[in-house]
Amino acid sequence: MTDETPGAPEESDADKFKHLPPAVKLEDTIATHNPDAPADPTFGRDPETEFLLRHGVG
């Protein structure tokens, strides 16, 4: 079962790679919506303060 139309001549593997695909327009490559803000890597915590409290420095 193939997706080609019946009666259409089949391309050989060598013929498939002789031509480039259609060019992509620049308008189609730009995001059209705002992305989500990146996640906070420290989860709202201050690792330096926690280090000082944990190790009794200061």
Side-chain angles (χ1 to χ4, degrees), residues 27-38:
E27 301 87 44
D28 295 337
T29 63
I30 299 171
T32 57
H33 60 87
N34 292 331
D36 294 336

Side-chain angles (χ1 to χ4, degrees), residues 35-56:
D36 294 336
D40 182 14
T42 60
F43 301 105
R45 300 164 69 186
D46 184 11
E48 293 179 8
T49 301
E50 290 184 13
F51 177 85
L52 293 174
L53 292 173
R54 190 169 44 245
H55 296 288

Side-chain angles (χ1 to χ4, degrees), residues 19-29:
H19 304 284
L20 293 173
V24 177
K25 293 184 279 183
L26 182 61
E27 301 87 44
D28 295 337
T29 63

